Amino acid sequence: MGYPIEMQESIRKLEATRAFRLQQEIPRLTPEEKNRLLEQCHPDFRPDGMRPVRVGPNKGQRMQNELVDLLEAYSRIDPDRVDLSRIDYDVDVLVVGGGGGGATAALIAHENEARVLLTTKLRLGDANTMMAEGGIAAATQPNDSPYLHFLDTIGGGRFQNKRELVWALVHDAPLIVEWLKDLGAMFDTHPDGDLVVSFAGGHCRRRVHSCKDLSGMEFMRVIRDELWNRRVEVLEFSPAVELLLDERGRCAGAILMNLETREHIIVRARAVILATGGIGRLHPNKFPTTNHYGATADGLVIAYRAGARLLHMDAIQYHPTGAAWPEQMLGQLITEALRGNGAQLVNVHGERFINELETRDVTSSAIIREVRDRKNGVRTPTGMEGVWLDTPLIDIRGGEGKLDRMFAGIVHRFREYGIDVHKEPILVFPTQHYQNGGVEIDPEGRTGIPGLFAAGEVAGGVQGRNRLGGNSLVDIFVFGRRAGQAAALFAREGPSPGKLTLEHVRRYHRELAAEGIEKGRVSPLLLPDYTRPEVKERRYS
Amino acid sequence: MGESLIPIYIMGKRYEVPEGLTIMKALEWAGYQLIRGCGCRGGFCGACATVYRVPGNFRIQVGLACQTPVTPHMTLMQLPYFPVNKAVYDLDKVGSPLETLLQLYPEATRCLGCNTCTSVCPQKLQPMYYVAAALRGDFARAAELSFDCIMCGLCAARCPAQLVPYNIAIFVRRYYSKHMRPKPRHLKDRVAEIRAGLHDQALAGIAAASEEELKKLYLEREFEKL
Ligand code: SF4
Ligand code: SF4
Ligand code: FES
């Protein structure tokens, strides 16, 4: 298959400028230039993409439309029909979510002698963690420090991050790398055993540690294996559809739904950790997404209904390099580590247009400007447009074999479509990747609701308004561990849960009704629906 | 893509779907809302193992639904779960490599060398060779050869000797990385510094800086060269 003729013409232009580009230095943008570019081109600034939410703790604040739809919706369950006296599980710590954050929290709570139940919507490990390619950021090198990592992270977040969270993040990051290594994760190493580190946008040092281009998968499968070894109890295909509070407003469990039998399961817990991930599958601004099938904002919805505050939900991350060709790979992640190791962004004429190691918000905006405003995009036969990511530069700079060594997954996936990334570039366009905000937490993962903790992508404040590459894998483990510890302690020393109630759901329903919001739409969404309208229309029953 | 429809058979039932779709998208096009058999949708997670046949080929074929395009008259079934044996162990309390491997997975020695596993692996790995390397005690090689495994289960589903190559492999990799690779010196040093509180003052300082000061420091950063 490979590239069609029209696209090959542009590849020849790219090849012609390669020698020049290798020498070319593109200065970083000034803060003013960045702001202008973001306002012009970042999808967050599209006037029709967001609207104020009419109910709940963040009432009046603008958020992504697709999320507001789910917040302005009724519960999937009728509180009056639920028998809360029939408790199926009674545990110390309930972890909701089976990605990297949830699995870590469960492991650590279990280590702290809590009786733990982990419940998850799909299989254990089915989550964005599995798909994180690039790696984990930590200041482990002699020329680096947690201080510099702090500065990069908060600047990347446009100075809106909660500082105590960034502090916790960068402080624990090297400890996490050690923890993962001790669990048997296979990091990329130099022959002497030192860890290989790469750049990611916005970091002033090489500090992203990788396991080839399957870093998240490696961490996830190792932690999952350890959970299995410790025999931590896991319920699969059982998402939480509502949190339970007690009559003093403390979180005291959750209602789960068995996706296969549609039976509900009542869990009483002394502490609950939410680790349900992000919102990519809502397709903000109709963008394709790199996210997992399960990324449907469920945790945000149930926490919000229970009274938790959300932070920065108007800041969505679009990854600069989603695949734009072949069509079958549309929107899939092309790791930033390629740019971190020297691959350049190039337009249809063979020209660079941005320093490739700018932060993601800026780089994505620059690509959108290049294609949409400047008309310098490369067009595919299906009408999609993108810019080149010049991958052959990696072997040219780093010596033959580097692509195969570090990016075997990318090489393999494109080879399936007849594209040889050693010799040909990849066509890319921004794709939805991450929710920068989430449920507001403190450094121990506590939310505003006593007994409710959150960790990972569902939590907000760590990354400010824009996350740097490598900072997500470290976030889930740092706050997964902290939340696991804090929840176990809370379960041990906090007061016992009182009588379980769904009063908060009734209250929320009243609030919806008072705003004139009609019944009909329910949330959380649980599963995206990619069946066609033609099929849906004919489901008459 | 999208215009010409081709017939496929989902668990024997005929549907007409656009040519060029992956099996996963074809299932959805036909009207399925997937619960099992769908995960990352990008070839990472192994949730979507699928077995199929095409006309003119007597062999059963396998692939990932999210990666494999449909072809005319393909007849398919997803294999979202396969029951396997997973040994439980404590990585902190294990003996020598080979001895531990044989304790946990004694059936590994029953490998027939038939290489069926290799012919089914969607990642184009060669489970027979990584199992063989592990059995030689060459954990480094076995770890390297098995690294790209997405634990989709297909090799185990087809293995006539009933091995679970991928569970053998994850044990080997974890053992190798933890016990046979040195812990990097720079990592040990940094962890020791952090535990001793040597970075606390710098972090406390910057966390308390004014926004203006932070912005200034941010702009003044010096970048390591690419
Ligand atoms: S299929 Fe089983 S018996 Fe055959 S080579 Fe592979 S592991 Fe050995
Ligand atoms: S080795 Fe087995 S489990 Fe791993 S990817 Fe290949 S077939 Fe799937
Ligand atoms: S859905 Fe994850 S590998 Fe296909």
Side-chain angles (χ1 to χ4, degrees):
Chain A
M1 201 173 118
Y3 289 112
I5 304 288
E6 315 85 279
M7 294 172 76
Q8 284 180 23
E9 270 167 43
S10 173
I11 295 183
R12 275 190 291 281
K13 291 187 188 154
L14 160 141
E15 285 164 349
T17 59
R18 204 174 264 149
F20 164 73
R21 284 186 282 112
L22 267 167
Q23 311 299 326
Q24 184 191 15
E25 294 257 356
I26 297 194
R28 291 180 190 255
L29 302 184
T30 65
E32 296 72 35
E33 287 169 331
K34 276 187 201 173
N35 286 341
R36 218 171 314 129
L37 176 57
L38 290 173
E39 279 168 33
Q40 263 171 22
C41 295
H42 196 284
D44 280 353
F45 290 86
R46 292 185 185 172
D48 49 358
M50 298 192 196
R51 67 174 196 264
V53 57
R54 287 176 284 174
V55 292
N58 292 66
K59 185 171 172 163
Q61 286 175 21
R62 285 166 62 79
M63 296 180 194
Q64 204 60 48
N65 281 328
E66 297 77 4
L67 177 63
V68 174
D69 288 345
L70 296 179
L71 296 178
E72 295 183 349
Y74 289 78
S75 176
R76 300 182 79 97
I77 53 178
D78 175 356
D80 296 331
R81 283 186 56 198
V82 181
D83 178 2
L84 290 176
S85 66
R86 223 187 112 179
I87 290 166
D88 299 287
Y89 291 87
D90 204 350
V91 296
D92 292 332
V93 176
L94 170 68
V95 179
V96 183
T104 302
L107 201 56
I108 299 300
H110 182 263
E111 238 170 64
N112 283 270
E113 277 149 28
R115 287 171 306 138
V116 177
L117 174 67
L118 183 151
T119 191
T120 187
K121 179 164 61 181
L122 300 166
R123 301 172 313 165
L124 179 60
D126 278 343
N128 282 342
T129 304
M130 195 63 110
M131 310 166 71
E133 295 173 6
I136 180 166
T140 68
Q141 303 294 311
N143 74 345
D144 198 2
S145 65
Y147 169 92
L148 287 174
H149 191 184
F150 185 105
L151 206 50
D152 289 342
T153 300
I154 202 153
R158 292 183 236 149
F159 303 95
Q160 304 289 305
N161 325 43
K162 284 181 75 173
R163 294 185 183 193
E164 62 277 24
L165 298 181
V166 183
W167 182 345
L169 182 83
V170 302
H171 175 273
D172 290 6
L175 309 181
I176 288 293
V177 172
E178 184 188 48
W179 178 70
L180 290 167
K181 160 87 181 150
D182 285 341
L183 279 170
M186 259 174 67
F187 283 99
D188 293 332
T189 55
H190 297 289
D192 63 359
D194 281 2
L195 299 169
V196 172
V197 281
S198 299
F199 274 114
H203 292 282
C204 70
R205 294 288 183 272
R206 285 191 166 78
R207 67 164 73 98
V208 180
H209 305 68
S210 50
C211 314
K212 300 199 187 179
D213 55 358
L214 299 170
S215 308
M217 177 171 107
E218 169 64 349
F219 302 144
M220 189 69 242
R221 65 191 175 185
V222 161
I223 294 172
R224 180 175 59 188
D225 192 58
E226 190 61 17
L227 268 179
W228 283 332
N229 280 347
R230 310 259 186 102
R231 300 173 196 271
V232 174
E233 187 157 14
V234 175
L235 281 180
E236 297 186 324
F237 298 97
S238 302
V241 295
E242 219 59 81
L243 290 171
L244 291 168
L245 302 184
D246 71 7
E247 70 271 73
R248 282 161 303 164
R250 271 188 31 181
C251 188
I255 302 184
L256 320 179
M257 182 171 79
N258 179 333
L259 276 185
E260 286 159 327
T261 64
R262 309 191 80 79
E263 188 187 6
H264 288 92
I265 301 162
I266 313 281
V267 183
R268 179 162 66 189
R270 300 173 72 93
V272 177
I273 303 173
L274 269 187
T276 48
I279 67 164
R281 289 284 157 191
L282 305 185
H283 296 286
N285 283 312
K286 307 230 168 9
F287 267 76
T289 180
T290 61
N291 279 195
H292 193 274
Y293 187 54
T296 51
D298 305 348
L300 295 179
V301 169
I302 60 177
Y304 195 72
R305 224 173 248 150
R309 239 176 67 81
L310 308 183
L311 201 60
H312 299 147
M313 280 318 303
D314 55 344
I316 301 295
Q317 179 163 88
Y318 299 84
H319 194 290
T321 55
W325 180 265
E327 183 89 2
Q328 287 90 340
M329 285 180 68
L330 190 69
Q332 285 182 24
L333 179 63
I334 306 300
T335 175
E336 182 161 338
L338 290 163
R339 279 176 287 134
N341 284 283
Q344 295 176 342
L345 294 168
V346 177
N347 69 18
V348 68
H349 308 301
E351 303 152 346
R352 290 171 71 198
F353 49 88
I354 187 80
N355 183 316
E356 288 79 5
L357 294 176
E358 292 281 8
T359 52
R360 287 178 176 171
D361 48 355
V362 171
T363 312
S364 287
S365 303
I367 295 174
I368 292 171
R369 177 176 64 187
E370 202 61 20
V371 170
R372 193 190 62 191
D373 301 5
R374 295 181 176 166
K375 312 277 180 235
N376 286 334
V378 182
R379 231 182 151 67
T380 74
T382 50
M384 181 67 202
E385 283 187 282
V387 298
W388 296 115
L389 180 67
D390 193 3
T391 46
L393 281 174
I394 293 183
D395 277 357
I396 294 173
R397 281 178 199 261
E400 215 167 295
K402 188 165 181 180
L403 266 166
D404 287 328
R405 205 166 55 244
M406 290 186 70
F407 301 103
I410 295 277
V411 172
H412 169 77
R413 281 189 288 150
F414 278 91
R415 191 187 290 133
E416 298 278 289
Y417 294 102
I419 293 168
D420 179 358
V421 300
H422 305 86
K423 301 209 184 80
E424 298 161 302
I426 294 173
L427 195 74
V428 296
F429 192 75
T431 177
Q432 192 283 343
H433 188 55
Y434 190 75
Q435 108 194 349
N436 293 300
V439 180
E440 185 168 356
I441 57 166
D442 77 0
E444 308 312 320
R446 284 183 289 241
T447 69
I449 301 173
L452 181 65
F453 299 75
E457 191 169 347
V458 72
V462 181
Q463 313 290 356
R465 300 189 64 81
N466 172 63
R467 172 175 73 74
L468 298 186
N471 267 355
S472 179
L473 282 177
V474 67
D475 174 341
I476 61 179
F477 299 128
V478 165
F479 291 98
R481 269 197 353 165
R482 284 173 171 253
Q485 233 155 28
L489 186 71
F490 185 87
R492 192 160 58 237
E493 297 183 350
S496 295
K499 193 167 151 3
L500 301 179
T501 104
L502 280 169
E503 201 41 50
H504 58 287
V505 175
R506 293 195 185 88
R507 204 178 319 124
Y508 199 86
H509 283 176
R510 286 196 294 272
E511 215 183 321
L512 291 169
E515 286 298 326
I517 296 165
E518 306 229 344
K519 286 195 181 153
R521 196 164 45 221
V522 296
S523 62
L525 185 62
L526 304 183
L527 293 173
D529 188 353
Y530 293 121
T531 59
R532 289 171 302 144
E534 291 89 325
V535 173
K536 278 187 205 123
E537 260 167 35
R538 308 195 59 194
R539 287 179 181 146
Y540 299 133
S541 59
Chain B
M1 194 178 83
E3 281 4 283
S4 72
L5 297 182
I6 57 169
I8 62 164
Y9 300 84
I10 300 172
M11 294 180 278
K13 197 168 186 178
R14 183 183 165 111
Y15 291 90
E16 306 251 324
V17 302
E19 195 165 9
L21 293 186
T22 58
I23 292 175
M24 180 167 287
K25 286 188 177 157
L27 285 164
E28 290 171 337
W29 205 89
Y32 281 76
Q33 190 184 22
L34 300 169
I35 299 178
R36 288 194 185 245
C38 175
C40 65
R41 303 173 76 94
F44 293 93
C45 76
C48 64
T50 301
V51 292
Y52 62 92
R53 283 184 199 274
V54 292
N57 188 344
F58 73 93
R59 287 175 206 284
I60 190 94
Q61 291 179 280
V62 297
L64 299 175
C66 66
Q67 302 293 297
T68 312
V70 288
T71 55
H73 299 286
M74 175 186 254
T75 167
L76 63 91
M77 181 187 83
Q78 285 205 288
L79 195 65
Y81 180 82
F82 192 78
V84 293
N85 171 31
K86 139 95 184 112
V88 165
Y89 54 89
D90 181 344
L91 205 57
D92 288 324
K93 296 191 196 111
V94 284
S96 72
L98 198 51
E99 180 200 350
T100 315
L101 172 67
L102 293 178
Q103 249 167 30
L104 296 176
Y105 294 105
E107 68 275 20
T109 57
R110 297 173 28 138
C111 171
L112 307 165
C114 69
N115 223 4
T116 305
C117 44
T118 297
S119 65
V120 299
C121 178
Q123 291 290 86
K124 308 235 177 346
L125 302 180
Q126 301 182 309
M128 179 173 91
Y129 291 103
Y130 70 61
V131 171
L135 284 171
R136 286 196 309 272
D138 189 350
F139 276 28
R141 183 89 185 126
E144 193 56 40
L145 287 177
S146 69
F147 186 82
D148 292 353
C149 168
I150 57 174
M151 304 180 83
C152 69
L154 284 168
C155 52
R158 300 284 283 143
C159 174
Q162 316 219 11
L163 269 65
V164 187
Y166 60 92
N167 274 345
I168 295 174
I170 192 167
F171 160 74
V172 166
R173 285 194 304 273
R174 292 187 63 192
Y175 187 104
Y176 170 70
S177 176
K178 183 175 170 97
H179 296 299
M180 299 164 87
R181 292 292 294 157
K183 191 178 280 189
R185 194 181 20 86
H186 63 93
L187 179 61
K188 278 203 266 190
D189 292 350
R190 181 52 45 81
V191 165
E193 289 166 22
I194 288 176
R195 292 234 159 86
L198 300 189
H199 292 275
D200 292 352
Q201 209 183 346
L203 285 174
I206 190 160
S210 69
E211 188 162 327
E212 208 178 323
E213 178 72 8
L214 267 184
K215 285 186 172 158
K216 184 160 157 287
L217 290 168
Y218 184 68
L219 271 184
E220 288 167 355
R221 290 171 307 156
E222 280 192 24
F223 281 80
E224 185 180 348
K225 279 257 168 283
L226 178 70

